[in-house]
Amino acid sequence: MVEKEKQSVDPATQEMIEKAAQDGIRVAFERAATMKACPIGAEGSCCSLCAMGPCRVMAPKGKEETLDERRNRVGVCGATPETISARNFARKVAAGTASHGDHGRFMARFFLAVAKGELPGYEIKDEQKLLLLALELGVKIADRDKGEIAAEVAKLLIQEFGKQEGELLFLKRAPEKRQRLWRELGVSPRGIDLEVAEALHRTHMGTDQDYQDLLDLSVRVALADGWGGSMIATEIQDIVFGSPVPVAGKINLGVLKEEEVNIIVHGHEPQLAEMLAVVAQSPEMIQYAKTKGARGINLAGMCCTANEMLMRRGLPVAGNFLQQELAVVTGALEAMVVDVQCIMQGLVDTARCYHTRIVTTDPRAKIQGATHMPFDEHRALESAQAIVRLAVDNYVNRGKNIRIPRHTTPLIAGFTYESINYMLGGSFRGSFRPLNDNIINGRIRGVAGVVGCNNPRTPHDASNLAMVKELIRNDVLVLQTGCMAMASAKAGLMVPEAAQFAGEGLASVCEAVGMPPVLHMGACIDNSRILIAAAAMVNEGGLGDDLSKLPVAGAAPEWMSEKALAIGQYFVGSGIFTVFGVTWPTIGSQEVTEYLFRSFEDKFGGKWAFEPDPVEAARLMIGHIDKKRKALDLDRGKGRLLVDMGMRRGLDAA
Ligand code: SF4
Ligand code: MSK
């Protein structure tokens, strides 16, 4: 057994790893320790695309390869290691894009139904955002009813998935220069589903066998995620559930309550969670819980559903990806209600040892051994009531083996392009000008997006914390989403007081505005908010005419999901330098890796890097930021020189 300190830096997680071991439960940490990663697959050198294989084409380790050996290192069909590596990579990006795309498509159809008034219990909460989007998309507003406007907007967004030609509508949000570059390189996505389908076709056995072509293709697919599926999902969720504004919350397994019915919502799509929040707070349901001996009902979140609910409702967050099984191990969880993505199948087995019910709710994501209660949007309230009642009824089945870690940390979440604009500029003159000015005067050195998952192949939360601390110490403002946002929040970096960990310049800005040096921007799909914020920095002026000119960088220090690769690829394809930790899926092919790590910069202005040491990775990001500052002719730390009359006279005399 691996020491718990080496598995996580989070004390609540360590405590529950220990309890799991005492209870004889194997969770992901233990499984990762006993199941070594396949070295051939990890480096991208295995092809299983057809039944002539699987073929393994890894280079011999520790010895020079002869030309003949190199020539013969191909699959049965003759596919080279480069083709195999690039196909594998492109397929992962396509799977990530498909996941966010399917989320976006579901949201767009849901939005249309809400607009038509077909879904009782849901309504349009942010009318202003709806109207702005309608104007942007050329939808007539005049004196039309908001439902009519929303329906027309929804139909336009639904079309984005099946579109066969032209360009995705939101590409126009990128700076002009970037749009032109995408067009010139032939990577402007046409339709979201089309790009995914074409990628699957072109990576089929015997189709596209030019590794550079495949890697360029994967940029087009990924852009259909960032500027397509993810952005659509974010926009719609803001319109229907309300745009986030800074909100206080708390995080970690200590949010579970010993004397209440505990329910965790886990996954990615917020429709059901929103309704569960309403039902869990209803006096009737609380009364019902009391009849079972509980003091109330405590709804908390896990993974990105948690981020969605935290951003809009301040709902407590139980933890990030690697804490999902540990929430069950507390023995105090009545139900874990899951939808899509990042739900470990191991949950069901863990739950068998306690009383927790794992409830699947989405027809696209069932798990054997779980209780399936399909969520019907048309009868959302009834669906949510049935689920909460199941959890309440289960309270009486709680055993005596309960231990809830005492750890919780306060945080502020709810930062979006709009709320940052407001926070920096005020309600009448909302603007990114103060951000740009502080970058220009060097108080803020640059901006970094640190996003992505946890991975038990690296100590839980550790790389994120080391990276984020190094960045803010060096005056880099950090924007976060997904499970990495939660890692920073647990460590207390998402409150204004965390400015004490920042460099002098960044700290002075945080203190003046009253904001943390690390901003929580939401769930994985909300990485699209980071794209929009970056575009706003370009549009504001003074930092170059393209995203690739900005002193910004991206990272996913603990990634595990194909979605993370899609996100990284759309950052890179948008011109942003991006570093991943843990492992790199093309390391088996030097050519493919070189192309992504170097040639991409000449083409797209952004490139990938792989660096498992988080402090080293942060330094790569800072080095890149400094390179961009130099190219923009910005002198770090100089500050704006205010010239008074005396100085002016001196200048005149000289
Ligand atoms: Fe092997 Fe080629 Fe089939 Fe891949 S496509 S499994 S390399 S024969
Ligand atoms: S939930 S994709 S583990 S961030 Fe979005 Fe966390 Fe990664 Fe899932």
Side-chain angles (χ1 to χ4, degrees):
M1 195 186 138
V2 182
E3 295 154 54
K4 61 182 192 303
E5 289 77 12
K6 291 196 178 141
Q7 294 178 313
S8 176
V9 291
D10 169 43
T13 301
Q14 290 173 1
E15 192 179 333
M16 284 302 100
I17 290 175
E18 199 170 65
K19 181 172 187 296
Q22 284 162 5
D23 293 355
I25 310 294
R26 288 182 84 228
V27 292
F29 293 95
E30 284 305 312
R31 293 193 295 268
T34 47
M35 160 83 71
K36 295 285 169 226
C38 165
I40 309 165
E43 64 169 41
S45 298
C46 173
C47 180
S48 59
L49 285 185
C50 86
M52 293 189 281
C55 303
R56 291 152 300 168
V57 292
M58 60 285 179
K61 306 276 180 255
K63 80 171 185 70
E64 253 329 273
E65 207 178 11
T66 66
L67 210 56
D68 254 8
E69 283 169 337
R70 176 69 177 85
R71 216 173 276 133
N72 289 331
R73 191 155 56 82
V74 292
V76 174
C77 66
T80 62
E82 299 86 70
T83 297
I84 289 172
S85 174
R87 278 196 307 222
N88 287 339
F89 184 78
R91 284 204 157 208
K92 287 180 201 301
V93 170
T97 301
S99 305
H100 287 147
D102 208 36
H103 178 162
R105 186 191 308 97
F106 254 60
M107 275 300 152
R109 291 166 63 93
F110 168 77
F111 183 32
L112 180 60
V114 173
K116 288 178 170 170
E118 293 172 357
L119 304 181
Y122 296 107
E123 57 180 5
I124 287 160
K125 292 229 174 90
D126 191 341
E127 202 173 329
Q128 196 190 355
K129 186 150 185 172
L130 167 68
L131 297 181
L132 284 172
L133 183 58
L135 283 174
E136 182 185 340
L137 299 180
V139 172
K140 209 171 93 208
I141 294 175
D143 52 356
R144 293 168 87 193
D145 158 64
K146 75 173 171 186
E148 228 179 290
I149 298 168
E152 196 175 328
V153 170
K155 282 179 194 158
L156 278 174
L157 296 180
I158 290 170
Q159 278 172 21
E160 291 293 272
F161 294 90
K163 221 158 73 177
Q164 300 297 309
E165 53 195 26
E167 287 179 3
L168 293 183
L169 294 169
F170 286 155
L171 295 190
K172 291 209 165 45
R173 292 177 166 190
E176 284 278 340
K177 194 169 179 182
R178 178 75 9 198
Q179 294 179 46
R180 276 201 303 277
L181 180 73
W182 287 336
R183 254 172 242 136
E184 278 161 24
L185 295 172
V187 297
S188 308
R190 300 150 294 175
I192 299 161
D193 295 347
L194 172 69
E195 300 308 345
V196 174
E198 186 175 314
L200 290 182
H201 172 209
R202 281 170 61 178
T203 52
H204 183 274
M205 187 268 154
T207 311
D208 198 347
Q209 290 162 101
D210 174 328
Y211 77 91
Q212 299 189 355
D213 208 34
L214 286 162
L215 296 172
D216 291 354
L217 158 79
S218 67
V219 170
R220 189 165 71 191
V221 181
L223 293 176
D225 177 353
W227 299 89
S230 283
M231 202 172 274
I232 288 174
T234 296
E235 292 290 309
I236 293 173
Q237 289 172 192
D238 282 356
I239 291 170
V240 177
F241 303 122
S243 294
V245 291
V247 61
K250 57 183 177 170
I251 184 164
N252 217 339
L253 290 166
V255 303
L256 297 178
K257 294 186 179 158
E258 191 131 7
E259 292 174 336
E260 296 193 14
V261 174
N262 289 306
I263 305 173
I264 285 181
V265 281
H266 172 23
H268 282 81
E269 296 182 359
Q271 302 97 309
L272 170 60
E274 283 281 338
M275 206 48 87
L276 288 172
V278 172
V279 171
Q281 285 161 6
S282 70
E284 307 80 60
M285 205 53 90
I286 292 170
Q287 192 48 42
Y288 184 57
K290 287 184 177 162
T291 66
K292 303 288 175 181
R295 286 207 168 163
I297 302 172
N298 179 36
L299 185 69
M302 180 73 66
C303 280
C304 279
T305 305
N307 285 328
E308 299 283 3
M309 299 302 287
L310 166 72
M311 293 278 283
R312 297 194 178 86
R313 286 180 176 266
L315 197 82
V317 178
N320 53 4
F321 178 67
L322 278 178
Q323 292 180 288
Q324 55 187 287
E325 291 168 303
L326 302 178
V328 177
V329 171
T330 61
L333 183 62
E334 275 57 56
M336 185 173 280
V337 185
V338 305
D339 52 58
V340 292
Q341 301 166 20
C342 305
I343 320 294
M344 286 196 194
Q345 189 165 1
L347 276 173
V348 172
D349 209 38
T350 307
R352 272 197 200 107
C353 306
Y354 303 91
H355 72 304
T356 308
R357 298 288 291 271
I358 306 297
V359 183
T360 55
T361 57
D362 193 296
R364 295 167 295 175
K366 295 182 185 172
I367 308 176
Q368 273 200 342
T371 306
H372 189 59
M373 298 178 76
F375 171 54
D376 179 356
E377 290 165 351
H378 295 87
R379 301 175 62 250
L381 196 64
E382 288 93 320
S383 292
Q385 280 167 338
I387 292 168
V388 174
R389 208 170 290 121
L390 171 129
V392 171
D393 289 340
N394 196 24
Y395 183 74
V396 296
N397 298 322
R398 247 193 216 182
K400 297 242 175 302
N401 180 13
I402 295 170
R403 195 190 327 158
I404 301 175
R406 294 281 158 240
H407 305 275
T408 62
T409 313
L411 76 145
I412 309 286
F415 295 97
T416 63
Y417 156 72
E418 291 88 346
S419 66
I420 294 174
N421 203 38
Y422 170 77
M423 190 176 64
L424 292 174
S427 52
F428 296 110
R429 288 189 299 125
S431 155
F432 263 54
R433 193 70 250 158
L435 175 63
N436 282 24
D437 278 348
N438 278 303
I439 291 175
I440 292 166
N441 69 29
R443 285 193 191 94
I444 296 178
R445 191 168 183 164
V447 180
V450 181
V451 308
C453 325
N454 298 135
N455 187 325
R457 304 264 171 227
T458 188
H460 171 235
D461 292 351
S463 291
N464 172 74
L465 294 186
M467 175 181 280
V468 168
K469 283 183 179 164
E470 182 68 12
L471 289 169
I472 61 173
R473 201 170 64 77
N474 283 284
D475 292 321
V476 176
L477 175 67
V478 175
L479 311 180
Q480 295 208 272
T481 62
C483 291
M484 288 299 87
M486 296 169 170
S488 292
K490 280 183 276 175
L493 295 175
M494 288 188 164
V495 286
E497 297 74 31
Q500 62 178 298
F501 302 114
E504 211 180 306
L506 176 60
S508 69
V509 176
C510 291
E511 278 151 18
V513 181
M515 70 178 194
V518 184
L519 303 182
H520 193 320
M521 293 192 79
C524 299
I525 55 151
D526 295 327
N527 286 309
S528 60
R529 296 190 198 277
I530 299 181
L531 293 179
I532 291 177
M537 286 165 70
V538 173
N539 294 339
E540 192 56 55
L543 294 175
D545 56 358
D546 181 33
L547 300 170
S548 63
K549 305 272 174 66
L550 293 172
V552 305
E558 300 181 36
W559 76 283
M560 64 86 200
S561 155
E562 289 165 322
K563 292 179 292 168
L565 278 181
I567 293 165
Q569 185 76 330
Y570 72 64
F571 270 110
V572 169
S574 299
I576 295 167
F577 172 64
T578 302
V579 196
F580 269 36
V582 192
T583 180
W584 182 251
T586 71
I587 215 81
S589 165
Q590 207 185 334
E591 289 83 349
V592 167
T593 307
E594 282 280 315
Y595 192 66
L596 293 168
F597 286 23
R598 273 178 253 292
S599 312
F600 254 34
E601 191 167 34
D602 302 331
K603 268 192 163 171
F604 299 105
K607 64 176 179 181
W608 286 95
F610 166 54
E611 176 51 69
D613 179 328
V615 175
E616 272 310 309
R619 288 188 186 142
L620 288 179
M621 296 161 82
I622 294 165
H624 176 82
I625 284 169
D626 286 350
K627 185 174 93 180
K628 295 294 169 182
R629 291 188 65 85
K630 194 156 178 236
L632 289 166
D633 211 13
L634 305 176
D635 288 326
R636 179 172 151 65
K638 205 166 165 190
R640 192 177 275 172
L641 192 62
L642 296 174
V643 183
D644 64 16
M645 278 316 283
M647 290 165 80
R648 198 177 294 280
R649 275 189 213 108
L651 285 172
D652 289 345

